[in-house]
Amino acid sequence: MMIIKNMESADLAAPQKGHRVTQVCWGLLLALSVLIYGSHAPLITLCKVDKKIPFSSSSCVVLIELAKFIVSLGLLFLRDRHSLHIAVSWKHVVPYAVPALLYAVNNNLVVFMQVHMDPSTFQVLSNLKIASTALLYSAALRKRLNHRQWLSLALLMATGICHTYSSMGTPKQKVDEAIPGTQFHITALGLLLLLVYCIVSGLAAVYTELILKTQRLPLNLQNLFLYFFGIVVNSGAHLASAEVSSGFFDGYSWWVGVIVVTQALNGLLMSVVMKHSSNITRLFVISCSMLVNAVYSVALFNLQLTPLFFVSVFFIAVAIHLYYHV
């Protein structure tokens, strides 16, 4: 009896240890993603010359998609070589074009909306993406959220608004402002476009999660399809833009290279999150990254934290507690 009891204890300890290792790995993955998300805006600022972005943003997006494609291809051969023998039809591949097209639509909407509203209004109201993503997530994936979880997502929206207002209070002489205007205005068409933007953004994210979870294919193969269409669509957008008149690599610096590498890595991390967790986790990562962004700005540009920063920290802490019961 003593021997049997010891064996059972050993058998129980192994899964518990494996569970703890998985939790630690998830924690490191999410923390890394938060750090990368938060570094994006400061890196863009470091790239600026005379307060202007010197490189083609569309060419940078193409390089990010290409980097993700190459890494996914390498991982496919290294880790999922057996999947190369899987019979894949166009019915499996074509759905991955939809997210790329939706994100392309949204990128153009962002540019067009600037005519109908000021940047500050866009930053504040674009937090409605959290609500649209959560609603579509609940409907498309049949994940019913309780009242505590909806309240936590409302707090994430409040965090985004606080972060926007906090950015408005940044002294101009210390850093190039992320939000140049503080006079709020928006037209009726601008409001309609903003609602479309939020819905399309949520739809792209939820649809990506849906196909990643419903198709029983290795994630690296799915990423290969996803980023192939990303390269095609974004290359077309680059060729159609006015930026194509300059050289593809004009204005590039080491900082731009850092942006490409970090954003490519973050895209791969987010695919893991959407495959094995959810878009709600992604929303929490993005909200937490706002705080990291503020800390980076203090370290790099000698900015001062406003009281709204600490309000945002409180909101996120309460939101995480409400949603995840931690």
Side-chain angles (χ1 to χ4, degrees):
M1 292 298 293
M2 290 291 292
I3 296 174
I4 292 173
K5 187 175 180 180
N6 289 338
M7 288 177 63
E8 288 176 347
S9 299
D11 289 341
L12 288 172
Q16 289 175 353
K17 184 178 180 181
H19 180 66
R20 286 196 295 270
V21 170
T22 301
Q23 285 184 321
V24 170
C25 289
W26 264 109
L28 292 174
L29 183 150
L30 295 176
L32 179 59
S33 189
V34 167
L35 292 174
I36 294 174
Y37 260 117
S39 69
H40 185 60
L43 285 173
I44 292 290
T45 302
L46 290 171
C47 290
K48 288 183 178 180
V49 176
D50 296 329
K51 298 183 179 181
K52 295 181 179 179
I53 297 175
F55 60 91
S56 165
S57 57
S58 60
S59 69
C60 186
V61 173
V62 173
L63 287 179
I64 292 170
E65 294 297 312
L66 181 61
K68 290 188 289 188
F69 180 86
I70 292 172
V71 172
S72 298
L73 183 62
L75 290 174
L76 182 65
F77 277 97
L78 289 174
R79 301 186 59 186
D80 299 308
R81 189 172 297 180
H82 64 278
S83 64
L84 297 175
H85 302 290
I86 298 175
V88 178
S89 68
W90 282 104
K91 291 180 180 179
H92 292 96
V93 178
V94 171
Y96 293 90
V98 176
L101 292 171
L102 290 175
Y103 284 123
V105 168
N106 254 18
N107 290 337
N108 284 282
L109 275 175
V110 169
V111 176
F112 188 61
M113 281 190 295
Q114 305 305 315
V115 180
H116 299 280
M117 69 188 73
D118 64 285
S120 299
T121 300
F122 171 74
Q123 290 290 337
V124 171
L125 295 182
S126 63
N127 288 289
L128 290 171
K129 288 190 297 184
I130 295 174
S132 63
T133 301
L135 287 168
L136 289 167
Y137 168 81
S138 181
L141 296 174
R142 298 179 181 178
K143 301 287 187 179
R144 188 174 180 179
L145 305 179
N146 59 41
H147 295 300
R148 287 168 58 96
Q149 291 172 323
W150 282 114
L151 178 58
S152 71
L153 295 176
L155 287 173
L156 289 189
M157 293 175 61
T159 299
I161 294 171
C162 287
H163 178 73
T164 301
Y165 277 104
S166 178
S167 299
M168 290 179 192
T170 300
K172 289 185 179 180
Q173 65 271 22
K174 290 187 178 180
V175 67
D176 194 20
E177 284 187 319
I179 305 172
T182 57
Q183 297 298 318
F184 291 94
H185 76 271
I186 183 170
T187 66
L189 179 58
L191 183 59
L192 177 62
L193 290 173
L194 185 78
L195 292 174
V196 172
Y197 166 80
C198 291
I199 292 172
V200 172
S201 177
L203 183 61
V206 172
Y207 180 84
T208 301
E209 180 181 347
L210 185 65
I211 57 175
L212 288 177
K213 287 181 174 177
T214 53
Q215 288 194 4
R216 294 186 176 181
L217 295 173
L219 179 59
N220 292 317
L221 183 60
Q222 291 178 306
N223 280 341
L224 206 64
F225 299 150
L226 194 63
Y227 302 138
F228 168 77
F229 287 110
I231 294 170
V232 172
V233 171
N234 286 289
S235 295
H238 173 70
L239 293 174
S241 68
E243 296 175 324
V244 76
S245 57
S246 59
F248 190 88
F249 294 104
D250 282 0
Y252 273 55
S253 64
W254 287 108
W255 288 119
V256 183
V258 173
I259 290 174
V260 171
V261 171
T262 55
Q263 291 306 304
L265 175 59
N266 202 38
L268 293 166
L269 293 177
M270 280 298 101
S271 68
V272 175
V273 169
M274 287 197 280
K275 176 80 169 181
H276 300 291
S277 184
S278 69
N279 262 292
I280 304 299
T281 303
R282 184 182 67 88
L283 292 177
F284 274 93
V285 167
I286 294 171
S287 294
C288 290
S289 73
M290 296 179 190
L291 308 182
V292 174
N293 175 283
V295 174
Y296 279 148
S297 298
V298 169
L300 294 173
F301 310 118
N302 297 319
L303 300 186
Q304 293 181 350
L305 296 177
T306 68
L308 284 175
F309 170 81
F310 299 99
V311 173
S312 299
V313 172
F314 175 74
F315 281 168
I316 287 182
V318 174
I320 292 173
H321 171 70
L322 288 173
Y323 199 95
Y324 295 105
H325 303 284
V326 294

